[in-house]
Structures are given as C-alpha cells and as structure tokens.
C-alpha cells in the first residue's frame, strides 16, 4: 500500500483539539485524527511501496502540489498515520505466513558462519530478480529467508513465505479440484516469494515433477519481474 508523508516547511496549528479527551489522547488532535494548519509552504508527497531494502521506490513516487502560504489546510495527524501504518504492517505480516519460530529473524541478529558471508550479502542486497541459497542443515538459510521477509514487512512490501512441501501439495490439490492454474497464478504474481526447504524431508533429490513445478513457477516470476528466493539443502546439480 502507498504511504503518505506530509512535508511541512514551517507551520502553525490553527485549530487544535475541540473535544474533551482523556489524558492519554494525542495532544495535537485529541484522537480525532485530523489537525488544521496554516501552511507556509506545504508539499504533499506520496511514496509507493518501498524497495526491499527500505529505500523509496522513486519510479513509483508521486509528487503533490504546493499549498499557498497562509491557507488553512486539514491534515491527518501524525498519530493517525502511525496507526494506519501499523495496521498495514499487521496485514502484511498476516499475508507473509512466516512461522513463529522465524518471526524474530533479521539480518542484524544473523549469526555469521564461516562460508555464509556471500549468502548473507546476496540476501541483504536482493532488490529484484531471483536467488537460490544452498547449504547443509544449520547453515542459516531459513534465517536469511525470514530476515528478507521481515525486511520487506518493515518496508510495507508483501512477501509470501512458504515451505516447498506445502506449496507443492497445494499445487497437487489443484489438480483434484480444478484450481491448479489459479493457484499457480497466485504464486507467480505475488510481490515477493520465499520458498524454504525445497527437496528436504525425503532423503532424495527433488523429483522430476517437483523440479518441473518449481521451474514453471520461477520462470513465471522471472517473466513478470517478481522477486523470488529458494532455500534448499541440495546442490545446484541436484535441482537443475
């Protein structure tokens, strides 16, 4: 969702709180969510969904216009904007489906391991395209994938997290009820997608059908310029 920021270049409040409020209410708007100000140069800036690294996506930024000095304008209070952002963040976190055990994973609390430096830098710097992280159990792949999901959430960018087994089972179920194409389109069109444990749990390399489904999904996301990450215990030759 777009987040609106108000840039004020000098202002004074013309109309303060007009209702009786509790001592804990916002001192600027008494929890009404609106303040009236005398603009001395006000610019409206709309910032679209940010990049995964938290920086504004300048290609999707829209500039408003200047309000003439001295004109009264009614603006959303900072407390209202904060509440809206928090609700939006909660909706994104619900969409992400990140397991509780990975909810606290960030790049900041990642325990650096020998040989994981390149993977850490690749995940931290990923803003587009795709990434496959391979390594043995305990190498930190899931932590890096979850850190990317949380980084996207902080930037108000939806990022779906899914275990490969659950994702593939969902696609198999689609063959039974005729919803396969719909399910595949939903996975292919999302903003970000992180797939964990591809090929895990069976003791064998991914089957031809599993590789085929993953290849179709990755190709669809590549063609749609939708970022993706696959985390796997298997090496490149096993999943080619």
């Amino acid at each position: 969702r777009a987040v609106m920021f108000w840039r004020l270049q000098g202002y004074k409040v013309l109309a303060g709180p007009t209702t009786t409020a509790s001592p804990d209410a916002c001192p600027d708007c008494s929890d009404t969510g609106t303040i009236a100000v005398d603009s001395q140069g006000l610019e409206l800036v709309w910032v679209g969904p940010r990049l995964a690294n938290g920086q504004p996506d300048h290609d999707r930024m829209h500039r408003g216009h200047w309000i003439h000095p001295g004109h009264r304008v009614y603006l959303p209070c900072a407390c209202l904007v904060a509440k809206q952002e928090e609700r939006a963040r909660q909706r994104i976190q619900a969409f992400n489906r990140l397991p509780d055990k990975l909810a606290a994973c960030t790049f900041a609390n990642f325990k650096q391991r020998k040989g994981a430096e390149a993977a850490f830098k690749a995940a931290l710097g990923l803003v587009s395209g795709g990434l496959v992280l391979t390594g043995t159990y305990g190498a930190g792949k899931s932590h890096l994938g979850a850190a990317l999901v949380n980084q996207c959430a902080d930037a108000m960018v939806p990022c779906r997290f899914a275990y490969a087994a659950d994702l593939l089972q969902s696609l198999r179920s689609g063959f039974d009820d005729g919803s396969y194409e719909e399910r595949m389109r939903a996975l292919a069109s999302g903003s970000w997608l992180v797939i964990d444990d591809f090929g895990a749990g069976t003791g064998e390399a991914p089957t031809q059908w599993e590789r085929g489904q993953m290849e179709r999904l990755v190709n669809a996301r590549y063609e749609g310029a939708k970022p993706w990450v696959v985390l796997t215990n298997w090496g490149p030759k096993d999943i080619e």
Side-chain angles (χ1 to χ4, degrees), residues 53-103:
N53 61 10
Q55 296 299 313
D57 186 348
H58 294 289
D59 291 336
R60 301 176 68 181
M61 181 182 293
H62 305 283
R63 186 175 297 276
H65 59 278
W66 290 94
I67 304 296
H68 294 294
H71 283 207
R72 176 174 293 192
V73 290
Y74 293 88
L75 306 180
C77 184
C79 71
L80 175 63
V81 175
K83 292 176 182 177
Q84 291 174 335
E85 288 189 345
E86 180 58 27
R87 286 195 292 268
R89 184 177 291 107
Q90 291 175 354
R91 288 194 295 269
I92 288 174
Q93 289 174 340
F95 170 86
N96 291 346
R97 298 183 182 179
L98 193 62
D100 291 342
K101 66 179 182 179
L102 300 176

Side-chain angles (χ1 to χ4, degrees), residues 1-3 5 47-57 85 88-89 92-93 96 147-159 191-192:
R1 286 181 175 273
V3 179
F5 296 88
V47 180
R50 298 175 230 174
L51 300 174
N53 61 10
Q55 296 299 313
D57 186 348
E85 288 189 345
R89 184 177 291 107
I92 288 174
Q93 289 174 340
N96 291 346
L148 181 58
V149 174
N150 284 323
Q151 180 174 264
C152 286
D154 289 340
M156 301 295 184
V157 176
C159 179
S191 180
W192 279 73

Side-chain angles (χ1 to χ4, degrees), residues 2-171:
V3 179
M4 182 170 61
F5 296 88
W6 302 87
R7 185 185 305 165
L8 293 172
Q9 296 191 345
Y11 70 93
K12 62 180 180 180
V13 176
L14 291 178
T18 58
T19 60
T20 302
S22 68
D24 296 330
C26 174
D28 293 325
C29 71
S30 290
D31 288 347
T32 62
T34 303
I35 60 174
V37 302
D38 178 11
S39 171
Q40 298 178 25
L42 171 68
E43 186 181 12
L44 310 183
V45 180
W46 285 84
V47 180
R50 298 175 230 174
L51 300 174
N53 61 10
Q55 296 299 313
D57 186 348
H58 294 289
D59 291 336
R60 301 176 68 181
M61 181 182 293
H62 305 283
R63 186 175 297 276
H65 59 278
W66 290 94
I67 304 296
H68 294 294
H71 283 207
R72 176 174 293 192
V73 290
Y74 293 88
L75 306 180
C77 184
C79 71
L80 175 63
V81 175
K83 292 176 182 177
Q84 291 174 335
E85 288 189 345
E86 180 58 27
R87 286 195 292 268
R89 184 177 291 107
Q90 291 175 354
R91 288 194 295 269
I92 288 174
Q93 289 174 340
F95 170 86
N96 291 346
R97 298 183 182 179
L98 193 62
D100 291 342
K101 66 179 182 179
L102 300 176
C105 293
T106 66
F107 288 111
N109 62 23
F110 178 73
K111 294 181 180 180
Q112 292 288 350
R113 300 164 174 81
K114 185 177 180 180
E117 297 86 354
F120 177 84
K121 292 180 180 179
L124 179 62
L126 185 66
V127 295
S128 62
L131 176 66
V132 177
L133 294 182
T134 66
T136 58
Y137 177 80
K141 302 182 302 298
S142 295
H143 187 120
L144 291 177
L148 181 58
V149 174
N150 284 323
Q151 180 174 264
C152 286
D154 289 340
M156 301 295 184
V157 176
C159 179
R160 173 63 57 84
F161 179 94
Y163 287 112
D166 296 334
L167 183 151
L168 292 170
Q169 181 56 48
S170 175
L171 292 176

